[in-house]
Structures are given as C-alpha cells and as structure tokens.
C-alpha cells in the first residue's frame, strides 16, 4: 500500500503541475506527501518502501558504504523532483518519478527473488511463497509494461515470449 500511495502522490503532483495548480493543495504538496509515504516518520520508518530498499540492498550487496544504491537514487530523485516542480521543469519531475519507479521495481524484484529462493524450506515454504507473491503483487502493474511479450504457463510453470503484437490472452 505504501508503494502504491507513494506513486499515486507523485503522479498527482505531475497532474496538478500540468494543470498549473500551485495553490494550497498544490503539486509541491502532493510531492511532499509522496515522500511521506515513501519514507515514513524517522522514528518508525521500518515499514516503509525506503526501509525495504535498505534491507534488500543488504541482502544483495547493492549498496555503497552500507547505504542502498536504490535508496540513494530514490532520495536524490525525490529532492530533484521537488526542485523541478518548483522550477516548472516537466522533464525533471517526470524523470524523477521514473527514477523512483525504477528503483522500487529493482528493490521489490530483489524481494521476490529472496523469498522465492527461501521457498525451498520445508518448514516455512508457504510463508515464503506468500511473502514473495506479496512483493510481486506490489510491483506487478508497474513492471507489466516491460513484460508485455511474456506469457506464464500455469501448467508447466514456465515463461515464454510470444513476440510483439500478441497479448497474454492468446497464451
């Protein structure tokens, strides 16, 4: 839910900016709300997408000096996106949203991999399957545009690529 609401607020900021809404409930305010959902309060950020970035980076070694590369890139994008909104720079704030989205997909893909790997455990396989699936469902809609040519076969549990122009209903 926090990922969805983060991206909702960032997209709301873009919509408001493109409509010229710089009033009390303006684009910059929506962007700030996106940050709030992304990071959460400092004293309790352990349930946030930002903290998930920290944990998965530690799991996968995708960090620099103990800090998640995805989190560093996302935080920088949040700052640059707000500055772009303040400067009415559409290319800048759109690029910032794309950077946040990219890093959310990277992080939650890492989570899917982590928990599907742990499914081999006989004791807690169902728990890890549910956890991996929950992480996938978090990013599925955001990742879908990059998997348009893929088809999942429920009988063989394999992926096949069907080529441009075909959709999953033909699988």
């Amino acid at each position: 839910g926090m990922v969805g609401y983060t991206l909702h607020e960032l997209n709301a900021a873009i919509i408001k900016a493109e409509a010229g809404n710089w009033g009390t409930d303006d684009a910059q305010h929506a962007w700030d709300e996106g940050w709030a959902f992304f990071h959460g309060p400092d004293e309790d950020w352990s349930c946030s997408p930002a903290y998930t970035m920290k944990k998965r980076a530690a799991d996968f070694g995708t960090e620099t000096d103990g800090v998640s590369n995805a989190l560093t890139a996302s935080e920088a994008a949040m700052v640059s996106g707000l500055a772009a909104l303040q400067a009415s720079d559409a290319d800048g704030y759109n690029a910032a949203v794309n950077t946040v989205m990219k890093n959310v997909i990277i992080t939650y893909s890492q989570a899917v991999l982590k928990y599907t790997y742990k499914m081999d455990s006989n004791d807690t396989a169902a728990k890890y399957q549910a956890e991996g699936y929950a992480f996938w469902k978090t990013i599925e809609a955001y990742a879908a545009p990059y998997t348009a040519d893929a088809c999942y076969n429920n009988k063989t549990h394999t992926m096949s690529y069907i080529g441009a122009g075909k959709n999953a209903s033909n699988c």
Side-chain angles (χ1 to χ4, degrees):
M2 302 301 279
V3 168
Y5 225 85
T6 296
L7 296 171
H8 162 75
E9 289 296 342
L10 298 181
N11 287 321
I14 290 172
I15 291 165
K16 290 176 182 193
E18 290 174 353
N21 185 350
W22 304 103
T24 25
D25 186 23
D26 65 4
Q28 295 171 58
H29 179 79
W31 193 272
D32 287 342
E33 287 180 348
W35 168 256
F37 283 106
F38 175 75
H39 188 276
D42 287 339
E43 65 274 6
D44 190 25
W45 74 300
S46 63
C47 296
S48 71
Y51 196 80
T52 300
M53 288 179 170
K54 174 186 172 198
K55 291 190 302 183
R56 293 301 77 82
D59 291 339
F60 283 83
T62 52
E63 53 189 7
T64 304
D65 298 325
V67 179
S68 163
N69 296 335
L71 181 55
T72 298
S74 296
E75 286 179 334
M78 289 288 202
V79 170
S80 69
L82 180 59
L85 282 170
Q86 292 165 340
S88 300
D89 173 14
D91 290 339
Y93 55 72
N94 282 302
V97 171
N98 290 337
T99 297
V100 172
M101 176 90 65
K102 170 186 169 185
N103 285 286
V104 163
I105 290 173
I106 288 169
T107 299
Y108 283 71
S109 294
Q110 290 173 329
V112 169
L113 292 171
K114 175 183 179 170
Y115 291 104
T116 53
Y117 175 77
K118 291 179 92 167
M119 282 174 23
D120 285 342
S121 163
N122 290 332
D123 303 1
T124 53
K127 172 190 179 290
Y128 293 129
Q129 181 179 19
E131 206 159 344
Y133 187 64
F135 279 110
W136 168 247
K137 292 306 282 184
T138 299
I139 62 166
E140 180 180 28
Y142 307 118
Y146 306 103
T147 60
D149 290 340
C151 180
Y152 182 75
N153 184 317
N154 285 323
K155 290 184 180 184
T156 63
H157 302 289
T158 58
M159 295 291 290
S160 35
Y161 293 87
I162 55 178
K166 304 219 181 202
N167 68 37
S169 66
N170 293 331
C171 298

